[in-house]
Amino acid sequence: MAVIVQKYGGSSVADLEKIQNIAKRVIQTRENGNDVVVVLSAMAGETSRLIQMADSASGGAADGREYDVLVSSGEQVSISLLSIVLNGMGHKAMSLLGHQVKILTNKIYGNARILSIDTGLISDELKRGKIVVVAGFQGVDEDGNITTLGRGGSDTSAVAIAASLKADFCEIFTDVNGVYTTDPNLYSKARKLKKVSYDEMLSLAGAGAKVLHPRSVELAKAYGVPVYVRSSFSEDMGTLVTKEDKDMEREVVSGVAYDRDQAKITISHVPDKPGIAAKLFTPLSDHDIIVDMIIQNASSKGYTDLTFTVSQKDIGEAKRLLDAVAGDIGVSRIDYDENISKISVVGVGMQSHSGVASKMFAVFAEEGINILMISTSEIKISCVVAAKYTELAVRVLHDAFGLEQEN
Ligand code: ASP
Ligand code: MG
């Protein structure tokens, strides 16, 4: 007898037929003798539709509180529909909204963080033999206002509920079979991984592989929640995201990821003195612009060059903010390049194997792919290259590190 949290994404609840299908899986899990808590997203496309409505109604300036009341409503529909279907199939089910459970969050509308979850009501209903169906993506602040957790946030709801219930594991059902060595749409030789570590999963997410909401992985790591990424349309066991272990270390590289969403900014002839980097980057961080890779060249004659990347959606605002301080600092020119791509190799095995970076560079050299920027962490090496090389770079690295076959 285990406690299992199952989260189903928008594509798994897209219509009534799909809801009936997942109901069967939920019932199967229940009939195997488990307590089941289901966490749902809104029906596919619904949240985007609601956001558009909020934007058209307000010219993009909706009040945060009202915006969250609106965009959280998609999940109210999906949880009630599934509960109705489960009841119709002869099982006792109960839907619960974030404020009914009491998923307490801070007050950052549209991007709130979960502070605590009251498990009392869920546990009581499970004890009564019910299947509990909770709305993902939403919570409530201390004053009773509805909040939402940011796009894709229902993964985080599910893992947080699993952590607070001390569930045996959390299953995230989506439209892919699990986590792959690379994007199967880009390279047919991609292989599904049986296991990845929390840190690898976070690095892959940061490198552009968007299977799980990164915050859900951070939470799973912090509370040691085993997470299975599975497809709602198959019986495959998917990929287990879990603590690092010996098997994982044997593999030098676990995956190759790419991120086409980056843009590169180069600031030339920056005076090399204390305080300049702060003057350039503080306005960006004040406007929630995430700067990813940063390179500062060795200075010559008191001047240096700075290159860094931001998300493409932020480039317009970054331009405006940098132009505003450029004159003041005495910068001679700023160049922007949106035709770039970040290619990363990720693996916990890197910590105990040398030569991964040099192999990556050698592979690029052989293909004539010029490297524009490099950054490394303990378990990730990323290179920025021209966007046109994305596919080629991913494929040759996948081959070079032998990812097609399990070691
Ligand atoms: N429905 C929300 C969204 O589309 C939350 C989620 O799907 O995880 O972003
Ligand atoms: Mg989703």
Side-chain angles (χ1 to χ4, degrees):
M1 177 76 151
V3 179
I4 299 174
V5 175
Q6 297 189 326
K7 180 258 170 177
Y8 294 90
S11 54
S12 314
V13 294
D15 54 41
L16 202 50
E17 196 186 322
K18 296 217 171 71
I19 294 181
Q20 281 157 343
N21 276 332
I22 66 163
K24 286 184 201 143
R25 192 189 288 270
V26 171
I27 290 170
Q28 190 59 56
T29 313
R30 172 77 195 129
E31 285 180 343
N32 290 343
N34 304 297
D35 280 340
V36 189
V37 178
V38 181
V39 177
L40 295 187
S41 289
M43 296 166 88
E46 181 60 11
T47 307
S48 303
R49 191 182 73 88
L50 293 166
I51 290 173
Q52 267 169 20
M53 276 170 65
D55 288 347
S56 350
S58 64
D63 172 70
R65 182 187 183 281
E66 303 315 324
Y67 175 93
D68 277 0
V69 172
L70 179 63
V71 305
S72 64
S73 65
E75 276 73 9
Q76 180 161 351
V77 174
S78 55
I79 59 167
S80 51
L81 275 176
L82 177 64
S83 303
I84 291 169
V85 168
L86 286 168
N87 288 332
M89 291 173 148
H91 285 262
K92 287 181 285 178
M94 185 184 196
S95 63
L96 290 174
L97 293 164
H99 69 89
Q100 293 175 306
V101 172
K102 204 153 182 199
I103 298 176
L104 186 70
T105 73
N106 64 14
K107 290 179 156 297
I108 317 277
Y109 295 118
N111 198 21
R113 275 184 176 258
I114 297 176
L115 301 174
S116 66
I117 296 182
D118 189 341
T119 55
L121 184 54
I122 297 180
S123 301
D124 288 349
E125 296 302 335
L126 289 175
K127 274 189 210 116
R128 293 197 183 104
K130 285 194 189 152
I131 296 164
V132 179
V133 186
V134 183
F137 181 56
Q138 58 176 261
V140 63
D141 73 9
E142 58 180 359
D143 297 318
N145 301 300
I146 293 171
T147 54
T148 64
L149 308 180
R151 294 311 304 269
S154 53
D155 292 346
T156 301
S157 309
V159 171
I161 289 169
S164 46
L165 283 171
K166 301 194 172 56
D168 293 75
F169 55 86
C170 179
E171 294 176 301
I172 307 275
F173 287 95
T174 170
D175 47 11
V176 294
N177 256 330
V179 181
Y180 280 74
T181 49
T182 195
D183 179 356
N185 297 316
L186 202 77
Y187 198 23
S188 58
K189 289 184 178 168
R191 171 175 56 88
K192 183 170 62 74
L193 293 159
K194 290 201 183 80
K195 264 194 290 193
V196 281
S197 74
Y198 296 119
D199 287 326
E200 285 174 324
M201 199 64 213
L202 285 167
S203 290
L204 287 168
K210 287 181 182 62
V211 190
L212 292 177
H213 197 235
R215 226 178 321 141
S216 71
V217 185
E218 283 165 17
L219 267 183
K221 182 185 175 190
Y223 292 93
V225 180
V227 176
Y228 288 90
V229 178
R230 303 183 57 184
S231 162
S232 359
F233 310 108
S234 89
E235 287 305 312
D236 194 291
M237 273 315 290
T239 302
L240 171 62
V241 188
T242 184
K243 291 195 294 283
E244 197 170 311
D245 67 22
K246 285 273 165 292
D247 296 348
M248 295 171 182
E249 277 162 35
R250 272 206 322 253
E251 307 255 3
V252 183
V253 168
S254 312
V256 182
Y258 63 93
D259 186 356
R260 285 190 170 117
D261 172 51
Q262 299 273 304
K264 182 165 71 77
I265 302 176
T266 302
I267 307 184
S268 311
H269 207 65
V270 183
D272 192 10
K273 57 183 192 207
I276 298 293
K279 272 200 184 128
L280 286 167
F281 291 114
T282 306
L284 299 180
S285 74
D286 285 349
H287 287 78
D288 289 327
I289 294 177
I290 295 174
V291 175
D292 184 28
M293 300 163 94
I294 305 179
I295 292 173
Q296 179 176 342
N297 282 343
S299 98
S300 106
K301 302 195 181 85
Y303 289 91
T304 182
D305 297 335
L306 266 173
T307 303
F308 55 94
T309 60
V310 299
S311 172
Q312 269 177 20
K313 73 168 169 36
D314 291 331
I315 194 84
E317 197 171 11
K319 270 184 188 164
R320 189 176 60 74
L321 294 165
L322 291 169
D323 282 347
V325 290
D328 189 27
I329 295 172
V331 165
S332 71
R333 65 182 277 186
I334 308 182
D335 292 298
Y336 301 90
D337 185 356
E338 294 183 54
N339 287 317
I340 60 155
S341 196
K342 182 174 72 169
I343 313 290
S344 308
V345 294
V346 172
V348 291
M350 268 180 219
Q351 296 165 111
S352 47
H353 292 83
S354 59
V356 179
S358 55
K359 186 163 177 175
M360 184 172 187
F361 305 154
V363 166
F364 283 174
E366 213 166 290
E367 298 294 333
I369 300 174
N370 191 26
I371 300 171
L372 306 173
M373 295 174 84
I374 302 166
S375 81
T376 60
S377 79
E378 279 196 316
I379 63 164
K380 178 169 77 173
I381 302 166
S382 303
C383 293
V384 168
V385 302
K388 64 179 179 196
Y389 293 125
T390 309
E391 228 178 293
L392 176 66
V394 167
R395 291 175 180 213
V396 291
L397 287 172
H398 198 273
D399 287 349
F401 286 103
L403 291 178
E404 190 183 344
Q405 241 115 53
E406 198 171 345
N407 289 332

